[in-house]
Amino acid sequence: MPLPPAPTKRAAMLPPDAYDAPARSHHKAARKTEGTPSDSPLAEKPQAMEFSPRGGGDRLPEVFHEEAVSEASQVVQAAAQKKQSAPVQVAARPARKPRSTGPHKLFVLDTNVLMHDPMSLFRFEEHDIFLPMIVLEELDGNKKGMTEVARNARQASRSLDALAGAQGADITTGLKLNSTGHREAGGNLFFQTQALANHLPSSLPQGKADNQILGVVQALRELHAPREVVLVSKDINMRVKARALGLATDDYQNDKTIDDLELLYSGSLALPPDFWAKHGKTVESWQSGQHTYYRITGPIVPQLLINQFVYFESPGEPSLYARVTETRAKTAVLKTLKDYGHLKNAVWGVCTRNREQNFAMNLLMDPEIDFVSLTGTAGTGKTLMALASGLTQVLDDRRYTEIIMTRATVSVGEDIGFLPGTEEEKMGPWMGALDDNLEVLGKTEGSAGEWGRAATNELIRSRIKIKSMNFMRGRTFLNKYVIIDEAQNLTPKQMKTLVTRAGPGTKIICMGNLAQIDTPYLTEGSSGLTFAVDKFKGWPHSGHITLARGERSRLADFASDVL
C-alpha cells in the first residue's frame, strides 16, 4: 500500500493567542494547519491541493529541508512548555449534593419511624442504620390488617428482606443500603445479632419495648465511642426519656415538607407601594377579550410563579388584581381577574366577599386549572365556593358530568363504632358540611314555591356522589369534579393515591385547615395537603390560595382568633 502524498505547504509558527484557544480534535487542527499560509497566522479560505493518485508517495518534496524540520521541532517544544505552564480547563460537570465530610453517624431507628415511612431506611445518605431486635418484633406484630400502618409495616419488612437477600449480603458485617438500587443511600444496615449490656436505671421497666431500645442505644454509644449514636423516633415521650438519660435523639425530619407553616406558599403576593412609580414606564399592556394583560420587568419577576396572584392596593391610586400567566428570565405577563364579587358574576347565587375568595373563585372556574388547593381557617368559605363552582360547571356549563365528594374519616373525639347502611349511607354522618352548604345553595326565589325548591334539591343531589377513600385505589375519574374535604388529615401517600385517580377532563379540589389536624403522627409540615401545595406550585395547570378572613359569622371569626 503506497504512502499518502506529503503536504506541499510549509509548517508555520502558531500565533500566541492560539495557545489560549479551546482544545480541538486532531483532525480539525490538522485541516486548519494545512490551510494556513506561511505569511499569515490564519488562513482566510481553504485552498485546494492537487493530488495525483499515480504520484509516488515514497519521496518527500524539496520544501521539507533541514530548516523546516528544525523549525517544526521548536514549535513542538514551545507548545509543550506552554501546555505545562497553562492551567488545564476541565469541562464543567453537573453539581452534586455535597456530602458530609465528618465521621459517619450510627442512627438507631424506632419502630414508629418505619411504620410512618417504610422508605426511611434509604433517607440517611452516607450514615449507617442499626435496628434492634425488638423493632423487628414490633414490625411483625403490626403487619396484619388493611390499615395504612399495617401496609407500611409490610413494605418495610419487604425492604429488609430484599436487602438481606442481595448478592454478597452479610448480616454480620452490615448490609449495603444501595444494593437494591437506592443510590442516595451510601451507608450500611446493621441488625442486633447478639445481646448487649443494659445499664439503664432500675426504675425503667425492662420488659417495655421503648426501654429496650433505649438500652440498645446506650450500649452502642459505649461500644462505638467516640462515634455518635443517635436515636430517631416519632414518639415525643421516648425522645424526652432519651434526653433525660443523656442520649442523643432526634425526630424523623425527612417527611416534613416545610419546617414552619409561615414558609408555606400562600398563592398571592402584594406588589410594593412604589410598583407603578418604578415599572410604569416599562410596562406593556394590551387588551384581549374582557381581560387586560401587562408585561412587567424588574427585580420582582424572579419571585413570581405561574398562576400566582398579585395585587396592588394603595390609597389614591387604582388597584390591580391579576394572575401570573407567563414567566421568563426577565419578564412576566399578568392577566386581570374576573370580579366574582359583583352580582352579575355570581356563581350559583354566591358572590365573593373578599380578595382571597375572588382569587379562589377564579381558579375554581378556570377550565385550564386541573388542581386547586384551598387552605384557611374555619368559616372562610372553602366548601361553599367549591360546591357553588362545581354545581355551575356540572348543571349549567355541562363541563363535568358529576361531583364526587370525599374526605378523610378521622374523628375528633372517640369513635362511635360501625355505621349501618351502604357506602354512601356510611359516609353520610361525615358529610354534615355538605348538607349545610347545600341548604344554602338550594335556596331559590320565593315564587318557585316548595315544589320548585324540592325539585332543585333533588336535581342537585342526583349530581353529587359521596365516596369513601377506602375504595379509591384502582379507579379512574373521567370528566368529574372531585372535592377532597379535610385534606389536612391525609398523609402524602394517601394524597398521591387520590390525585392520581384523575383521568381526562377531571378537576380536583383539595381543601383543609392545617390548624385542625386530627391524624396521629401528622403535623403541619408533614401533612399531605402541605405536601401537595408545595409540589404543585408553579405548575401551569394548578393553583393555590390561602383564605385569610372568615365570613361565617362574627362569633366564629372571633373564636378562631382567641381560642
Side-chain angles (χ1 to χ4, degrees), residues 459-476:
L459 177 63
I460 290 175
R461 290 193 175 274
S462 66
R463 294 301 181 93
I464 298 178
K465 297 293 186 297
I466 301 173
K467 299 296 181 182
S468 173
M469 285 176 44
N470 300 337
F471 310 105
M472 288 293 186
R473 192 175 295 275
R475 297 199 58 183
T476 301

Side-chain angles (χ1 to χ4, degrees), residues 507-520:
K507 186 166 190 166
I508 293 184
I509 292 89
C510 289
M511 308 176 298
N513 180 11
L514 290 170
Q516 295 179 349
I517 296 179
D518 303 316
T519 304

Side-chain angles (χ1 to χ4, degrees), residues 80-205:
Q81 294 177 359
K82 186 73 175 179
K83 186 177 180 180
Q84 293 178 359
S85 60
V88 180
Q89 296 182 357
V90 183
R93 295 182 179 180
R96 293 182 178 180
K97 185 177 179 180
R99 288 187 176 272
S100 175
T101 57
H104 294 179
K105 300 178 182 179
L106 181 62
F107 288 102
V108 181
L109 299 190
D110 193 5
T111 315
N112 50 45
V113 175
L114 294 174
M115 291 192 297
H116 178 75
D117 181 11
M119 301 302 293
S120 59
L121 291 169
F122 312 103
R123 309 295 193 198
F124 291 88
E125 298 181 348
E126 75 275 11
H127 302 289
D128 297 332
I129 294 176
F130 187 93
L131 292 183
M133 192 58 63
I134 189 62
V135 171
L136 301 179
E137 291 288 341
E138 289 189 317
L139 278 179
D140 185 67
N142 289 277
K143 68 181 182 181
K144 297 179 181 179
M146 299 301 295
T147 62
E148 186 73 17
V149 172
R151 281 193 291 266
N152 291 344
R154 290 193 294 268
Q155 184 176 346
S157 300
R158 287 192 292 267
S159 300
L160 295 175
D161 181 65
L163 290 172
Q167 186 177 3
D170 187 3
I171 291 182
T172 58
T173 59
L175 306 177
K176 294 288 185 182
L177 288 170
N178 56 6
S179 60
T180 55
H182 297 85
R183 303 283 184 181
E184 68 276 8
N188 296 329
L189 172 64
F190 297 93
F191 291 97
Q192 182 183 354
T193 57
Q194 58 185 353
L196 297 175
N198 192 343
H199 301 292
L200 291 178
S202 57
S203 57
L204 292 176

Side-chain angles (χ1 to χ4, degrees), residues 236-292:
I236 298 177
N237 291 329
M238 187 172 181
R239 295 201 303 267
V240 172
K241 287 196 294 185
R243 291 189 180 97
L245 295 172
L247 303 177
T249 183
D250 198 1
D251 189 10
Y252 181 63
Q253 304 283 348
N254 194 272
D255 63 329
K256 294 184 178 180
T257 307
I258 55 174
D259 295 330
D260 188 1
L261 191 59
E262 298 294 331
L263 303 176
L264 183 64
Y265 172 64
S266 64
S268 62
L269 179 68
L271 296 176
D274 56 350
F275 174 76
W276 289 118
K278 289 186 176 181
H279 303 82
K281 296 181 180 180
T282 58
V283 169
E284 303 176 19
S285 63
W286 65 93
Q287 191 84 14
S288 178
Q290 299 179 353
H291 301 279
T292 304

Side-chain angles (χ1 to χ4, degrees), residues 39-50:
D39 56 348
S40 174
L42 297 174
E44 296 180 359
K45 294 182 180 180
Q47 299 179 0
M49 181 176 65
E50 297 181 0

Side-chain angles (χ1 to χ4, degrees), residues 306-354:
I306 296 292
N307 291 327
Q308 185 178 16
F309 293 93
V310 295
Y311 59 93
F312 176 82
E313 295 175 343
S314 181
E317 296 190 22
S319 301
L320 172 66
Y321 304 98
R323 188 174 72 185
V324 180
T325 58
E326 178 186 334
T327 57
R328 294 188 179 181
K330 297 181 179 180
T331 62
V333 176
L334 308 180
K335 175 185 176 182
T336 56
L337 306 178
K338 187 175 182 179
D339 184 15
Y340 288 99
H342 199 281
L343 189 59
K344 67 177 182 180
N345 296 327
V347 178
W348 204 263
V350 174
C351 297
T352 58
R353 295 186 178 182
N354 54 54

